[in-house]
Amino acid sequence: MPEESRCWLCHRSDAEVSAFADVETSREREILQQASQVTRFKADFVQSAEAWRKGLPKELKEFEFEFVTSNADQFKPIRIGNGLLGEIVAPNKLLAEIVEARKLTADWLESVALALREGDGEIPGFGPLSRFEKADMQLLNGMVDQFEAKWRRRIGSDGSRGADPNGYVHGFEGLKLFDGLEFMIAVGLLYYGVQAQLLDMARRKEISSKSKRGISVLPVNGYPRVPLCSVCVEVMRELGSRRFAVEPAISQ
Ligand SMILES: [Zn+2]
């Protein structure tokens, strides 16, 4: 495109439109804020995990994690003898925290893992998988696969018991309290890792859609092809003008 080419409507040059587009968008700012929030939440989670490891009563160690956490209420009245210190208060507060954290992290990750495995569905909060780049989807898949291979365990439970044909068991099946807690903590860390990755992807997508800004020569019905800037094209599109063919490079 010749240097002097200016938008037919607003007369801005390609450089002017690009400079305008270089400004950080509100969506970009929003994504960055979310990313720093994820970093903060992860740090809190790591801190809580330490407290859970120390605070879970050893007396319950023979119970399954799933049983203890899904019957947290039953453990409320329990007072556990603790030698010198007498009794420690029931672990209900810790258990409630663990149940809450698990709901937040594992439930979400479970539905993400399922969607990725089936290559269909959506990532809650991030939209349908069909909108993702193939490479991004593979990257996410790799994160989940690696995790499940390491633990020989699927993140989610499909309700079946025992190992699947790959030798993986599901969810927390068979894990005693403390092993279950370690699995839950690992799932939680993966949750924050996947969230951070998704936000990074969203940010890259936002930036690359910006870089498409500039001037293109487009046909408008009844007129010869004219140079139009992406800003004007967007405005025309928002106004509902169907009078011109929009080239793929500009359609978002
Ligand atoms: Zn323009």
Side-chain angles (χ1 to χ4, degrees), residues 63-84:
F63 288 95
E64 288 202 353
F65 178 83
E66 198 77 277
F67 175 78
V68 176
T69 53
S70 55
N71 294 286
D73 283 350
Q74 285 191 23
F75 292 94
K76 269 182 192 170
I78 293 181
R79 292 284 187 278
I80 292 155
N82 188 23
L84 286 174

Side-chain angles (χ1 to χ4, degrees), residues 7-12 17 228-233:
C7 174
W8 188 57
L9 289 173
C10 71
H11 300 283
R12 276 183 288 214
V17 175
L228 284 171
C229 81
S230 48
V231 179
C232 289
V233 169

